[in-house]
Amino acid sequence: MRAARTAYPLKWRIMDTLEGVAAAIWPARFRRATPYLMLLPAVLLVGLLVLGLIQIADASLRTLDTTTFQFSDNYSIANFRRALTEPLFLVVAQRSLIAALIVTTVTLVFAFPYAYLMVRTRSPGLRKFLLIALFLPFFIGQVVRAYGWLIILGNQGMVNEALGLVGVAPMRLIYNYPAVLFGLVQYMLPFAVLMLAPALTAIPEELEAAAGSLGASWVRTFIHVVLPLARPGFIGAGVVVLTLSLTDFAVPAILGGGSQDFIANAIYDQFFRTSDQGLGATLALMLVALGSILVGLVFALFGAGTLAMGRSRA
Amino acid sequence: MSGSRSKSVVLWTLVTIALVTLSAPTVVVLGASFTGGNIITFPPDGLSLRWYARISQASDLRNAFLRTLQVATVCTIVAIPVGTLAGIALAKYAVRFEKTIQIYLLLPFTIPLIGSGIGLMLIFGNAGILGQLWPVGIACCVINLPFMIWAVTASATGLDPDLELAAANCGAPPLQVFFSVTLPAVMPGVITGSLLMFILALNEFLVSLLLVDARIVTLPVLIYNSIRSIITPDLAAISVVFIACSAVAVFLLDRLVGLDIFLKSK
């Protein structure tokens, strides 16, 4: 008996105990519920965001009394009226939306050839190089990247110093709208390429060869074969870039220098500069709604593309 | 790749522009960190390591970096079990309301970061836990969780359910099936996911900015605050820490699972 016990390894005994405990608290007849149990922690964790949204909704309905700096106990929609009527917020919203559309278009134009070359190249070395050049900036935060642009484009930055050497007067290259757009495109490129690449991999190369052998030029092959088949990738990439650039904070703050605020910057200012939590919460809620409507619209029109999670992927 | 000359000219032109745009900030920050002068100039004022010596002595920078590491660690430790279980559940089982659950679990991506950050700031404030580091880690975990779930589902869809049935048929109880068959099969996804979670938490800026106060600033927030006042080469030197972390993460990702995994069609 004793010999048999020592022959039974410790690991087995631990596993047996664990199996016993697991069977006691989660008997086999609960098996059908197991996937829900596995999903529970994630659902609870994401629940924090839902709670947060409820808090924001609550705060958005309370107005700030500017004489006492107290928030009202009763609800009113005064904040929403202010958010919709004050011209400043309209300007900011317009600026962010137009920027998001421009950034999405430009990013997709550059991301597509990058993803295409990366997927189609025959050289493993080139593929690896393109992947590394993509991931390195992807893993470096926005702040550091924006700081790099400040060094390059700043008033005493590299470009202006170089121009100075050939006798050109310094130009103002940052703290304007194009600088913010440029910074955003750079930030979004890796996201877009990574969403496009799987969709391009799914397109058999023979299709392109077939189109070519039937006499289509590469431009026609792209327009009629590659681009339509890459649609799930364009949807995924487009949605991600559109929402991320619409709601960005760091790039407008650093490269816009306070003159090019986006919606997120306006919300931050309401909370931390003006201390009007109610109005800030209202703006945040409207941004959440705007983002969801945009995402919902794209999904309803085109499906979830490469963004789908789980089994139901084609 | 098949195609004409004009095709490769057009492709390469666009890709070159993208490559330069992607790499320029990194290269410039690296270069600026080795400058010998007191300000960043072009052409540089000689080479030196003095700014590295300077930052290694600055305790505020070192502490901020340690705090950032702590946040990223909390984020990853929470994300691994939560994301792995959810990912396996979504990939393997026919779950009721699957669509709804999927949409719900994508909320961290669909809610703008500023909204998530302010919501979490309000509830953490009500709970009286603002001003500590672990809630920042939890927050980073919530907002990036879909990355973890994605990574796991992507590798779990390649797992043949018959393998698990075979193990069970041979007498393996549920936990043993999970640890000996299911988990090893999704391991590439777990590794990819946890690396992503760690590096994204390390770099997370906006949510940190909303959740930290002056006593517990994380490094990205510290850099942001310093950029607003004055641009000096020590900032470049400290930014190189992030570049180094990114390089390590890329190397690990390539070694452990291969970067090509991101090119696979789902």
Side-chain angles (χ1 to χ4, degrees):
Chain A
M1 188 70 200
R2 187 155 275 272
R5 233 182 135 66
T6 43
Y8 201 64
L10 179 67
K11 197 179 152 199
W12 293 13
R13 267 182 275 164
I14 294 174
M15 277 307 286
D16 278 352
T17 322
L18 285 178
E19 297 282 0
V21 172
I25 51 177
W26 198 257
R29 64 198 154 84
F30 288 178
R31 175 131 339 143
R32 288 174 56 110
T34 305
Y36 301 97
L37 183 73
M38 291 165 80
L39 283 167
L40 188 66
V43 169
L44 289 179
L45 207 55
V46 176
L48 284 178
L49 291 185
V50 179
L51 281 183
L53 280 186
I54 295 172
Q55 283 277 334
I56 292 178
D58 178 80
S60 73
L61 293 169
R62 301 175 191 275
T63 44
L64 181 73
D65 186 337
T66 41
T67 47
T68 57
F69 267 92
Q70 296 284 315
F71 286 93
S72 61
D73 284 328
N74 48 336
Y75 289 150
S76 84
I77 56 158
N79 284 325
F80 287 88
R81 205 173 294 131
R82 261 188 77 193
L84 287 173
T85 50
E86 274 189 35
L88 169 72
F89 299 131
L90 199 69
V91 170
V92 168
Q94 220 170 25
R95 183 189 291 140
S96 322
L97 259 173
I98 293 172
L101 291 172
I102 298 175
V103 168
T104 308
T105 316
V106 176
T107 308
L108 289 180
V109 166
F110 283 98
F112 173 73
Y114 198 103
Y116 182 83
L117 194 65
M118 199 161 72
V119 168
R120 284 287 190 251
T121 179
R122 300 226 186 284
S123 146
L126 175 63
R127 182 174 300 126
K128 181 143 288 181
F129 170 74
L130 290 174
L131 274 166
I132 291 175
L134 193 71
F135 271 99
L136 210 58
F138 185 49
F139 286 167
I140 297 171
Q142 266 183 304
V143 179
V144 172
R145 284 199 255 169
Y147 173 60
W149 289 123
L150 282 187
I151 300 178
I152 299 174
L153 302 173
N155 289 340
Q156 278 112 42
M158 280 171 54
V159 171
N160 271 327
E161 298 269 340
L163 286 177
L165 291 180
V166 293
V168 179
M171 286 184 288
R172 206 176 137 91
L173 299 169
I174 46 164
Y175 303 151
N176 53 34
Y177 199 45
V180 175
L181 295 183
F182 182 67
L184 280 173
V185 169
Q186 199 263 357
Y187 172 54
M188 296 303 162
L189 259 176
F191 286 100
V193 175
L194 287 176
M195 302 300 303
L196 271 172
L200 290 177
T201 311
I203 305 172
E205 209 173 341
E206 294 79 17
L207 281 183
E208 287 173 61
S213 72
L214 290 172
S217 70
W218 68 270
V219 180
R220 287 190 65 189
T221 309
F222 265 34
I223 294 174
H224 294 292
V225 178
V226 184
L227 294 182
L229 286 173
R231 205 173 80 160
F234 277 104
I235 295 164
V239 166
V240 168
V241 176
L242 191 72
T243 51
L244 284 184
S245 44
L246 176 70
T247 60
D248 197 57
F249 176 88
V251 174
I254 298 173
L255 294 179
S259 66
Q260 306 294 332
D261 281 357
F262 277 24
I263 305 176
N265 308 80
I267 296 172
Y268 182 87
D269 283 351
Q270 286 305 324
F271 271 89
F272 294 96
R273 298 246 166 88
T274 338
S275 293
D276 190 343
Q277 223 186 54
L279 189 56
T282 308
L283 292 173
L285 205 62
M286 291 168 80
L287 181 62
V288 173
L290 183 63
S292 313
I293 291 171
L294 278 178
V295 175
L297 207 64
V298 173
F299 282 3
L301 287 175
F302 308 109
T306 42
L307 275 173
M309 275 195 297
R311 298 181 318 134
S312 52
R313 48 183 88 215
Chain B
M1 197 162 47
S2 58
S4 60
R5 223 183 122 80
S6 61
K7 178 180 177 180
S8 47
V9 169
V10 172
L11 275 184
W12 271 105
T13 312
L14 291 171
V15 171
T16 310
I17 297 173
L19 272 173
V20 170
T21 316
L22 279 171
S23 328
T26 320
V27 174
V28 165
V29 168
L30 267 176
S33 71
F34 292 109
T35 187
N38 282 324
I39 51 163
I40 296 166
T41 54
F42 184 81
D45 237 1
L47 288 175
S48 91
L49 289 174
R50 57 185 282 217
W51 298 107
Y52 286 94
R54 170 92 162 261
I55 59 164
S56 65
Q57 241 120 74
S59 62
D60 57 333
L61 291 176
R62 198 174 48 238
N63 290 338
F65 182 60
L66 290 177
R67 280 192 288 265
T68 312
L69 280 182
Q70 230 173 305
V71 166
T73 310
V74 170
C75 164
T76 316
I77 289 176
V78 176
I80 290 175
V82 174
T84 307
L85 289 175
I88 292 174
L90 280 178
K92 264 184 41 182
Y93 298 99
V95 186
R96 255 166 173 267
F97 311 115
E98 184 164 355
K99 262 252 137 74
T100 319
I101 294 178
Q102 280 196 27
I103 292 172
Y104 175 83
L105 290 179
L106 269 176
L107 275 182
F109 281 0
T110 46
I111 301 176
L113 270 188
I114 182 93
S116 309
I118 282 180
L120 291 171
M121 180 181 86
L122 293 176
I123 51 173
F124 287 164
N126 284 348
I129 50 173
L130 269 188
Q132 296 178 47
L133 276 180
W134 65 267
V136 186
I138 301 282
C140 290
C141 177
V142 177
I143 58 168
N144 291 320
L145 194 63
F147 279 117
M148 185 81 207
I149 302 179
W150 249 334
V152 175
T153 45
S155 53
T157 34
L159 165 70
D160 189 342
D162 286 349
L163 283 178
E164 289 165 297
L165 291 178
N169 203 22
C170 293
L175 279 184
Q176 198 183 355
V177 174
F178 182 79
F179 283 112
S180 320
V181 180
T182 318
L183 202 54
V186 299
M187 217 34 171
V190 177
I191 294 172
T192 315
S194 26
L195 264 171
L196 279 177
M197 295 300 287
F198 190 84
I199 201 81
L200 290 174
L202 204 62
N203 284 306
E204 178 50 48
F205 161 67
L206 181 54
V207 169
S208 275
L209 180 72
L210 293 169
L211 294 180
V212 300
D213 55 36
R215 290 171 298 116
I216 57 158
V217 283
T218 54
L219 197 48
V221 178
L222 190 70
I223 294 178
Y224 172 76
N225 289 338
S226 321
I227 287 178
R228 305 225 99 179
S229 47
I230 189 158
I231 299 178
T232 50
D234 58 340
L235 272 188
I238 193 71
S239 301
V240 172
V241 171
F242 282 111
I243 297 174
C245 289
S246 165
V248 170
V250 172
F251 175 79
L252 282 178
L253 204 56
D254 192 36
R255 263 303 159 87
L256 294 173
V257 291
L259 290 173
D260 300 22
I261 196 173
F262 291 95
L263 301 182
K264 270 201 280 182
S265 76
K266 294 177 229 178

